[in-house]
Amino acid sequence: MYTELLKLCGFEPDEIKRERPRVDRAFAKLGLDEEDFRRGEWRLKEYLDIELLGLRKFLGIWMRELVNLVLAREEHDKIVYSDFPMELRPLMSMMLSTDEKEVYFGVPGQIINMTMGQIFDKITPYIEVGEESGMPPGAAHCALYQTRLGAMVKGVIPFPDLSVIASYHCDQPAEAEELLHEVYGVPVAYLDSCSDPNWGDWPKFNDSRVRYCSSQASRMFRMFEEIIGCQMTEEAIRTANRSNAIFRLTFQALIELIGHADPQPISQASLAHAFFLNSMPTRDIEGKQQALEILAEEVKQRVERGEGILEKGAPGVFCTATISVDPSITRMIERTGLAIRIQIPNWLSPWVLTKHPYREWSDMIGVGPCLDIPHSCEAHCLINLENCKAFNVDGAINFYPYSCREWVPTVIITKRMIEKELGIPVLVLEGDCYDTRNYSAGQLRTRVETFAELVKAHKAAKAA
Amino acid sequence: MRVNIKNTITAGVDVGAATAKTVIVTDGKILSHAVIPTGDSVARAAEKVTAAALEEAGLSMPDLGFVISTGYGRNGVAFANKAVTEIICHAKGVNFLIPAARTVIDIGGQDSKVIGVREDGNVSDFVMNDKCAAGTGRFLEVMADVLGLDIEEMGPVSLTSKEPCLISSTCTIFAETEMVSLRAEGRTREDLVAGIHRAVASRVAVMGRTVGYREQVVFTGGVAKNIGVKNALESGIGLPILIPEEPQIIGALGAALLARNELS
């Protein structure tokens, strides 16, 4: 029933045969049937560059993680969850300090989004249960957290023994995990942070803020050790940092390659499957790196052959519409003839990292890159602006995700800043990163098609 | 439809949520236009309204050199040679009729837009609301129904208001409830209608601030026929507003003009 789908996700025939009992159990729990598999196949072919082996391998990693997540209680003694915006390296350090057979580590919200959302378009039932279970509709809850709660309450995935979470970007994890703790009795190791510098501080970091974050990280690690009953090891930290650095460097090179290539070699919707692994700890470190290297090589070959998904010379845009549950908006934008050169948060600019005064220290405790993102609203705006400059774009699409406390405050400021400084058109596109009920491709198409005409006219005028 | 470059007669077909409109032009002149309710089929409405416009001009389908469809149903017009968004078409249509126009406020049945227009009729910036009924023609229809008025009566009725009501809800459903309460308090029909117009205007005026209002401001779409909303908008944005003679057909007109460009 699902053989063809798993093949599209890079599974080899012998793996499908070997894994079938586990996959059957997991898919039954998820309520997936033939219609879902057909829809999944169609979506993979319709929205992604499915002919690329590297992409199929990434899809395979997500699909395996889904099966592992659903069967976690059957197969492991202890379960640890996290989710965005917790940074990957501390999570990986914790995961690698534990025994693989004993402890399951995962980011359920993100895994469900990338599979049940991206592939099967079946995310809403989880959100609805989340809404009925303490995160009601109309209260601007983040659907990422509604989804993970809904999946637990529905019994599709188990409740964890520990949740490790951070407030780098917004207050939603704190609220959601308080609910998880108070109502469902799940212990929560929480990394608090405060993102309140003055306008004009960027790129300087407030010393007391960094110290506070550090003390919070230490507290979180101690709680993890107590509850899971293990010791954080130097080797685990080193392995996490090393593998993360190698993956990020390769990923950044790939982003640069795609962003400067003409024509655009692959869809940004495909790249999202690699990007979101930046937030998911997986024990398949080798497989993840191998998938990225294969994808990078395939893209390089496309660029060398001058192949792409758009015509050469298509206007290029910077676009922040990275929707983890749905590839259709990204593809819709590309299909209007706009090349998406760079899609934040796909790329942390090297110039941002090199200016970071606490880089060495934060690298040491494993929270480095994440400190760059949530510095302030000012940093948000300026990083977006710098990305527009770095990729010499003809326009920008600034996504306005409902219920996202991190992104929303800067959307209009960024629009004005880019328009004023670079003189290029900027579209504000309303939607949601995690809840497809809040928008539709059809509804957004009028805006995007109009904007595409604006950008094309602007580019033509500039050339003349 | 086959493109006929020898024929300079072109048509624009705007299939909106409430009405379908067709305009036929040639050599910078409007030959005819027609407006009908969209009904339950985009394809049928497009055919019917275009047939009506052709009949008025004494033409038939093969006489058309190029057809551009627009509006929310633009991709459902089988005989169109091309589909273009209504935002682009409104800018083009307004620019043709009022070259000094720099801002278009378009309020239709299911959405509202504020469009910045360049001297050449191209769009400079835009903002659009199609997620919420407040600030659209639908809001007015619901309120007219509550008050037992015809939609056409609302404009003239509001002009005699002495003290417009304050409708604080921005949601159509809650505003309806608020209307019922205000009516129970004994507020006059005139004041209620004027309050409704203010609520619509305020919503659109605030939305358009990201684009900015520059003179000349032109008001299009079916709601532009409502003098009460026009007055409330002028007061909301602090600028005078012009309304074309047939505000409903501007999108279709722009589409017909763009179709003419395709031939050249």
Side-chain angles (χ1 to χ4, degrees), chain A residues 94-116:
Chain A
M94 286 184 262
M95 179 184 74
L96 295 175
S97 298
T98 63
D99 179 82
E100 184 174 354
K101 284 184 182 154
E102 195 180 320
V103 180
Y104 169 80
F105 245 89
V107 284
Q110 206 65 277
I111 292 170
I112 292 169
N113 282 346
M114 296 302 290
T115 51
M116 298 304 286

Short mmCIF file of all heavy atoms in Angstrom, two decimals, chain A residues 94-116:
data_model
loop_
_atom_site.label_atom_id
_atom_site.label_comp_id
_atom_site.label_asym_id
_atom_site.label_seq_id
_atom_site.Cartn_x
_atom_site.Cartn_y
_atom_site.Cartn_z
N MET A 94 22.85 16.20 24.65
CA MET A 94 22.10 15.41 25.64
C MET A 94 21.78 14.03 25.06
O MET A 94 21.98 13.01 25.73
CB MET A 94 20.81 16.13 26.02
CG MET A 94 21.03 17.33 26.91
SD MET A 94 19.48 18.09 27.45
CE MET A 94 19.34 19.41 26.30
N MET A 95 21.32 14.02 23.83
CA MET A 95 20.93 12.74 23.20
C MET A 95 22.13 11.78 23.12
O MET A 95 22.00 10.60 23.46
CB MET A 95 20.40 13.00 21.79
CG MET A 95 19.99 11.76 21.03
SD MET A 95 19.49 12.13 19.35
CE MET A 95 21.07 12.44 18.61
N LEU A 96 23.26 12.32 22.70
CA LEU A 96 24.43 11.45 22.52
C LEU A 96 25.04 11.00 23.85
O LEU A 96 25.88 10.11 23.87
CB LEU A 96 25.48 12.15 21.65
CG LEU A 96 25.05 12.43 20.21
CD1 LEU A 96 26.11 13.24 19.46
CD2 LEU A 96 24.75 11.14 19.46
N SER A 97 24.61 11.64 24.94
CA SER A 97 25.08 11.20 26.26
C SER A 97 24.28 10.01 26.78
O SER A 97 24.57 9.47 27.84
CB SER A 97 24.96 12.35 27.27
OG SER A 97 25.76 13.43 26.87
N THR A 98 23.24 9.64 26.06
CA THR A 98 22.38 8.54 26.53
C THR A 98 22.57 7.29 25.68
O THR A 98 23.15 7.35 24.60
CB THR A 98 20.88 8.94 26.44
OG1 THR A 98 20.56 9.17 25.08
CG2 THR A 98 20.58 10.16 27.26
N ASP A 99 22.04 6.20 26.19
CA ASP A 99 22.10 4.95 25.46
C ASP A 99 20.99 4.91 24.41
O ASP A 99 19.82 5.19 24.72
CB ASP A 99 21.93 3.78 26.45
CG ASP A 99 21.96 2.45 25.74
OD1 ASP A 99 23.06 1.97 25.46
OD2 ASP A 99 20.86 1.92 25.42
N GLU A 100 21.35 4.55 23.20
CA GLU A 100 20.40 4.61 22.07
C GLU A 100 19.16 3.75 22.32
O GLU A 100 18.05 4.12 21.98
CB GLU A 100 21.11 4.17 20.80
CG GLU A 100 20.26 4.28 19.56
CD GLU A 100 21.03 3.98 18.29
OE1 GLU A 100 22.27 3.79 18.36
OE2 GLU A 100 20.40 3.91 17.25
N LYS A 101 19.41 2.56 22.89
CA LYS A 101 18.28 1.64 23.08
C LYS A 101 17.38 2.10 24.22
O LYS A 101 16.18 1.85 24.22
CB LYS A 101 18.81 0.24 23.38
CG LYS A 101 19.32 -0.44 22.11
CD LYS A 101 19.74 -1.85 22.38
CE LYS A 101 20.30 -2.47 21.11
NZ LYS A 101 21.23 -3.55 21.38
N GLU A 102 17.99 2.75 25.17
CA GLU A 102 17.25 3.11 26.37
C GLU A 102 16.41 4.39 26.20
O GLU A 102 15.26 4.46 26.62
CB GLU A 102 18.24 3.31 27.52
CG GLU A 102 17.61 3.34 28.88
CD GLU A 102 18.65 3.55 29.96
OE1 GLU A 102 19.75 2.95 29.84
OE2 GLU A 102 18.38 4.32 30.86
N VAL A 103 17.02 5.39 25.55
CA VAL A 103 16.37 6.71 25.52
C VAL A 103 16.02 7.12 24.09
O VAL A 103 16.85 7.07 23.19
CB VAL A 103 17.28 7.78 26.15
CG1 VAL A 103 16.60 9.15 26.13
CG2 VAL A 103 17.63 7.40 27.58
N TYR A 104 14.77 7.54 23.92
CA TYR A 104 14.35 8.11 22.63
C TYR A 104 14.37 9.64 22.75
O TYR A 104 13.88 10.20 23.73
CB TYR A 104 12.92 7.68 22.27
CG TYR A 104 12.38 8.47 21.09
CD1 TYR A 104 12.74 8.14 19.79
CD2 TYR A 104 11.57 9.59 21.29
CE1 TYR A 104 12.30 8.91 18.71
CE2 TYR A 104 11.12 10.35 20.21
CZ TYR A 104 11.50 10.00 18.94
OH TYR A 104 11.07 10.77 17.87
N PHE A 105 14.93 10.30 21.75
CA PHE A 105 14.98 11.75 21.68
C PHE A 105 14.25 12.21 20.43
O PHE A 105 14.51 11.67 19.35
CB PHE A 105 16.43 12.22 21.55
CG PHE A 105 16.93 12.99 22.72
CD1 PHE A 105 17.52 12.34 23.79
CD2 PHE A 105 16.81 14.37 22.75
CE1 PHE A 105 17.99 13.05 24.87
CE2 PHE A 105 17.28 15.08 23.83
CZ PHE A 105 17.87 14.43 24.90
N GLY A 106 13.40 13.20 20.50
CA GLY A 106 12.74 13.67 19.28
C GLY A 106 12.09 15.02 19.44
O GLY A 106 11.92 15.52 20.56
N VAL A 107 11.76 15.61 18.30
CA VAL A 107 11.03 16.87 18.29
C VAL A 107 9.68 16.59 17.61
O VAL A 107 9.52 16.74 16.41
CB VAL A 107 11.81 17.99 17.56
CG1 VAL A 107 12.94 18.51 18.41
CG2 VAL A 107 12.36 17.52 16.23
N PRO A 108 8.68 16.18 18.39
CA PRO A 108 7.45 15.66 17.79
C PRO A 108 6.70 16.65 16.90
O PRO A 108 6.19 16.27 15.85
CB PRO A 108 6.60 15.26 19.00
CG PRO A 108 7.22 15.94 20.16
CD PRO A 108 8.66 16.11 19.85
N GLY A 109 6.65 17.91 17.33
CA GLY A 109 5.93 18.91 16.54
C GLY A 109 6.51 19.01 15.13
O GLY A 109 5.79 18.95 14.12
N GLN A 110 7.82 19.13 15.10
CA GLN A 110 8.50 19.30 13.81
C GLN A 110 8.40 18.02 12.96
O GLN A 110 8.21 18.09 11.75
CB GLN A 110 9.97 19.66 14.08
CG GLN A 110 10.63 20.45 12.98
CD GLN A 110 10.01 21.83 12.78
OE1 GLN A 110 8.99 21.95 12.09
NE2 GLN A 110 10.60 22.84 13.36
N ILE A 111 8.54 16.86 13.60
CA ILE A 111 8.45 15.59 12.84
C ILE A 111 7.04 15.44 12.24
O ILE A 111 6.89 15.09 11.07
CB ILE A 111 8.78 14.39 13.76
CG1 ILE A 111 10.25 14.41 14.17
CG2 ILE A 111 8.46 13.07 13.03
CD1 ILE A 111 10.61 13.41 15.26
N ILE A 112 6.05 15.72 13.05
CA ILE A 112 4.67 15.59 12.54
C ILE A 112 4.41 16.61 11.43
O ILE A 112 3.79 16.30 10.41
CB ILE A 112 3.65 15.72 13.70
CG1 ILE A 112 3.79 14.52 14.63
CG2 ILE A 112 2.22 15.81 13.18
CD1 ILE A 112 3.05 14.65 15.95
N ASN A 113 4.91 17.83 11.61
CA ASN A 113 4.75 18.84 10.55
C ASN A 113 5.36 18.39 9.24
O ASN A 113 4.76 18.53 8.17
CB ASN A 113 5.43 20.15 10.97
CG ASN A 113 4.61 20.94 11.96
OD1 ASN A 113 3.44 20.66 12.15
ND2 ASN A 113 5.23 21.91 12.59
N MET A 114 6.59 17.87 9.32
CA MET A 114 7.33 17.53 8.09
C MET A 114 6.81 16.26 7.41
O MET A 114 7.13 16.01 6.25
CB MET A 114 8.82 17.37 8.41
CG MET A 114 9.50 18.63 8.90
SD MET A 114 9.38 20.01 7.73
CE MET A 114 10.44 19.45 6.41
N THR A 115 6.03 15.49 8.11
CA THR A 115 5.50 14.26 7.51
C THR A 115 3.98 14.34 7.36
O THR A 115 3.49 14.41 6.25
CB THR A 115 5.88 13.05 8.39
OG1 THR A 115 5.50 13.33 9.76
CG2 THR A 115 7.37 12.77 8.33
N MET A 116 3.28 14.41 8.47
CA MET A 116 1.82 14.46 8.39
C MET A 116 1.34 15.75 7.72
O MET A 116 0.27 15.78 7.10
CB MET A 116 1.20 14.35 9.79
CG MET A 116 1.52 13.05 10.50
SD MET A 116 1.02 11.59 9.55
CE MET A 116 -0.76 11.64 9.77
#
